[in-house]
Amino acid sequence: MTDAVGSIDMPDAEDEVPESKKTRKGGKRGKKGPLGRLALFYRQIVAELRKVVWPTRSQLTTYTTVVIVFVVVMIGLVTVIDFGFQRVIKYVFG
């Protein structure tokens, strides 16, 4: 079945990559030794950390409070369910 561009079995000529064109190996890492690669790695870490949007103090306080309240609620829920199972097991097995 064909459409306006071409067929499923035959890809368009523009999509094909010539085999004679090879990609370079290594890039920035190809010519450096282990210490150069380690330095590049740390530079990339610092660059990524600069992109991070850090929360303000009030946001951090809010997020921390929400997490602590959620954990306390879940502890209470698990405790209630545990006591319920304990009573059921005592009733069934005496």
Side-chain angles (χ1 to χ4, degrees):
M1 179 173 199
T2 62
D3 55 15
V5 177
S7 72
I8 296 173
D9 298 328
M10 299 292 292
D12 296 337
E14 295 116 23
D15 293 339
E16 293 179 6
V17 177
E19 292 182 22
S20 63
K21 192 174 192 180
K22 294 183 180 179
T23 59
R24 276 185 32 198
K25 289 185 180 179
K28 287 184 178 179
R29 294 182 294 163
K31 298 177 182 175
K32 296 184 179 179
L35 292 178
R37 286 184 289 183
L38 189 63
L40 175 64
F41 177 70
Y42 283 115
R43 280 196 306 271
Q44 289 173 345
I45 289 175
V46 170
E48 287 298 321
L49 285 175
R50 286 186 179 145
K51 295 178 188 177
V52 173
V53 179
W54 297 99
T56 62
R57 184 174 292 275
S58 65
Q59 289 174 332
L60 192 61
T61 304
T62 303
Y63 298 155
T64 304
T65 304
V66 167
V67 168
I68 290 173
V69 167
F70 177 77
V71 168
V72 168
V73 168
M74 292 307 295
I75 288 172
L77 182 67
V78 169
T79 302
V80 168
I81 292 173
D82 186 47
F83 281 136
F85 281 139
Q86 181 182 0
R87 291 196 182 247
V88 168
I89 295 298
K90 273 189 175 181
Y91 179 76
V92 170
F93 292 111

